[in-house]
Amino acid sequence: MDNPPLPAILRDMSFDTDIAIIGGGLNGPALALALAASGLHVTVIDALPAAPRMDDAFDGRSYALALTSVRMLEAIGIWEQVADHAQPMLEIKVTDGRAGEGPSPFFMHFDHAEIEEGPMGHMVQDRHLRRALMDAVDKAETIAVLNGQEVIAQQADSAGITLTLAGGKDIRARLCVGADGRNSGTALRAGIKRTGWAYGQTALVCAVAHEQPHSGIAHQFFMPPGPLAILPLTGNRSSIVWSESTANAARIHALPDAEYLDVLRPRFGDFLGEIALAGARYTYPLSLSLAHEMIAPRVALVGDSAHGVHPIAGQGLNAGFRDIAALSEVIVDAQRRGEDFGAGVALARYQEWRRFDNTSLALATDSFNRLFSNDNALIRMARDIGMGVISALPALRRGFIREAAGLNRDLPRLMRGLPL
């Protein structure tokens, strides 16, 4: 009875911060805000300077946020800042075909009216979401941000972890979280290996303005080289994520804007009238990258650091947010019980919670891409009939709608809209 409680022991130890998060993109700041709301001290370390990430110019990058991701942003106080810039996704139409030939008569159609919770998700531009997260982090008293700082070494021990910055400074934390992308230095330094492969595809990303309103309908058009997603933005604009073979994508991306649009038009179709570019154009190679473990001594991985998947279902950021909601809940609950949340026992709960979902998502997106990105006549017939059957059966259809909304899972509190 003379022993002091564990939290008091830990407070007496020399820590610069409770949790160090490496990566200042979207996942890192979102996790920092979730943890800071529970009184934890968090340091976000990012190798990039702040200025480029605070740019308000529309560059065409956008995200499809599932309903449960929106709930999490509401719970951490972010959604109010971006809601006026968000476009609800009211319907999803999935079709199959070839460029210039129109879609197959068999398709899947999902309408949010078939579930009680509301829109399946919202489209949010990168500039609005990123700025809202960074502004909130800057205002949080228990969050420190180190921009333009690179972590070059990390050393874990039984009590905590020491991070060494390029300038020679050491930061001592109870836990390090890697939110530093597919080529995660955090994972590499922790000895976590990865499995993955390239798809031989490259995504062409842009935004277009169009004459006719999109009515909140998202379209996914599967073609032999890869899928084309047309995702509604505010106003008469849509975000385009268009997959082609790597060689063909490089050729298309090198074209002037007018010729680029000439290639896109037969794939896009004329159902929204004439189209024009609205923002910059991007490309990124498509691959699968899955960490063998989501944890190591005093280390946890979230988002693309743990799992980089094909964008075929637009679930990459949503999966990262599910990691954040689960990890923050595990940490806060352990803290309240007087446990060492950076120890292996606590981190194992996080991995057990998230590993199956992330692996399943990686396998599902990989399988869907292989199933639809080919021109085999028998496979095309089978998948078209399959889409028609799913769309015709209400129970199956509602199951897919709930999956798109992120509702078919063991949801952490934040994704149910509840505080930690």
Side-chain angles (χ1 to χ4, degrees):
M1 293 181 63
D2 293 332
N3 291 332
L6 183 57
I9 294 174
L10 289 173
R11 279 195 295 270
D12 289 339
M13 302 182 78
S14 179
F15 291 103
D16 300 301
T17 188
D18 290 319
I19 298 159
I21 300 173
I22 302 177
L26 299 176
N27 288 317
L31 177 61
L33 290 168
L35 295 170
S38 296
L40 291 162
H41 288 76
V42 184
T43 299
V44 179
I45 308 168
D46 195 87
L48 296 176
R53 292 182 284 127
M54 295 291 279
D55 189 355
D56 279 335
F58 177 48
D59 62 10
R61 292 181 296 169
S62 303
Y63 306 103
L65 297 179
L67 169 63
T68 49
S69 293
V70 172
R71 288 177 178 174
M72 190 193 85
L73 293 175
E74 289 176 335
I76 64 174
I78 293 298
W79 186 247
E80 183 179 343
Q81 310 305 317
V82 299
D84 289 343
H85 305 290
Q87 169 63 49
M89 288 189 291
L90 305 178
E91 300 177 48
I92 300 175
K93 294 183 177 180
V94 183
T95 54
D96 183 24
R98 298 187 183 91
E101 296 183 8
S104 161
F106 299 98
F107 60 89
M108 291 188 290
H109 180 207
F110 306 127
D111 191 328
H112 81 290
E114 294 194 57
I115 60 173
E116 299 176 353
E117 289 82 357
M120 292 170 277
H122 288 73
M123 286 297 300
V124 178
Q125 296 168 31
D126 175 87
R127 58 173 173 159
H128 297 310
L129 181 56
R130 188 178 300 271
R131 185 61 181 260
L133 287 167
M134 293 181 72
D135 285 347
V137 163
D138 287 342
K139 294 174 184 176
E141 294 183 357
T142 58
I143 300 177
V145 181
L146 301 178
N147 290 308
Q149 300 287 334
E150 182 182 0
V151 177
I152 60 172
Q154 64 196 48
Q155 182 64 50
D157 54 52
S158 60
I161 186 167
T162 301
L163 307 178
T164 301
L165 304 182
K169 179 181 178 180
D170 285 344
I171 295 176
R172 180 77 173 159
R174 295 165 65 182
L175 173 67
C176 170
V177 178
D180 46 348
R182 295 187 184 213
N183 298 316
S184 171
T186 308
L188 181 64
R189 289 186 294 270
I192 298 175
K193 297 182 179 180
R194 310 184 78 85
T195 293
W197 47 80
Y199 287 114
Q201 295 172 313
T202 293
L204 298 126
V205 181
C206 64
V208 296
H210 38 76
E211 292 179 315
Q212 303 299 321
H214 48 56
S215 303
I217 303 173
H219 297 264
Q220 184 93 343
F221 182 36
F222 288 106
M223 298 175 289
L228 168 69
I230 303 172
L231 307 170
L233 299 175
T234 52
N236 283 10
R237 297 178 304 165
S238 293
S239 174
I240 304 298
V241 182
W242 164 23
S243 299
E244 288 280 345
S245 66
T246 296
N248 203 35
R251 181 186 64 79
I252 295 169
H253 186 64
L255 295 173
D257 287 353
E259 295 179 35
Y260 181 94
L261 284 171
D262 287 341
V263 179
L264 175 59
R265 284 189 183 95
R267 293 157 172 80
F268 190 101
D270 59 2
F271 69 105
L272 293 178
E274 184 54 52
I275 61 174
L277 286 170
R281 294 191 272 141
Y282 298 90
T283 63
Y284 60 91
L286 301 181
S287 63
L288 175 71
S289 177
L290 195 62
H292 291 184
E293 305 289 339
M294 296 184 69
I295 61 173
R298 297 285 163 180
V299 170
L301 304 179
V302 298
D304 282 0
S305 298
H307 45 81
V309 300
H310 196 287
I312 197 167
Q315 289 299 308
L317 183 58
N318 293 305
F321 280 1
R322 290 195 292 272
D323 293 343
I324 289 165
L327 180 59
S328 57
E329 186 168 321
V330 166
I331 289 172
V332 169
D333 286 353
Q335 174 87 344
R336 288 170 180 162
R337 288 192 294 263
E339 296 179 335
D340 178 2
F341 59 71
V345 173
L347 295 182
R349 297 179 195 132
Y350 164 63
Q351 175 161 271
E352 182 179 359
W353 194 347
R354 293 297 306 139
R355 192 173 186 180
F356 178 78
D357 180 40
N358 287 329
T359 302
S360 298
L361 176 64
L363 293 176
T365 54
D366 182 75
S367 298
F368 264 87
N369 184 56
R370 294 179 189 276
L371 175 64
F372 283 94
S373 295
N374 68 75
D375 204 22
N376 182 286
L378 291 177
I379 294 177
R380 286 191 65 192
M381 181 183 299
R383 70 195 183 209
D384 288 353
I385 292 173
M387 287 195 293
V389 169
I390 291 170
S391 194
L393 296 176
L396 276 177
R397 194 170 60 241
R398 282 193 295 271
F400 273 82
I401 293 170
R402 293 185 66 80
E403 180 67 25
L407 296 168
N408 286 347
R409 292 176 173 85
D410 178 16
L411 295 174
R413 291 193 290 269
L414 289 178
M415 295 214 137
R416 287 180 274 138
L418 302 174
L420 287 173

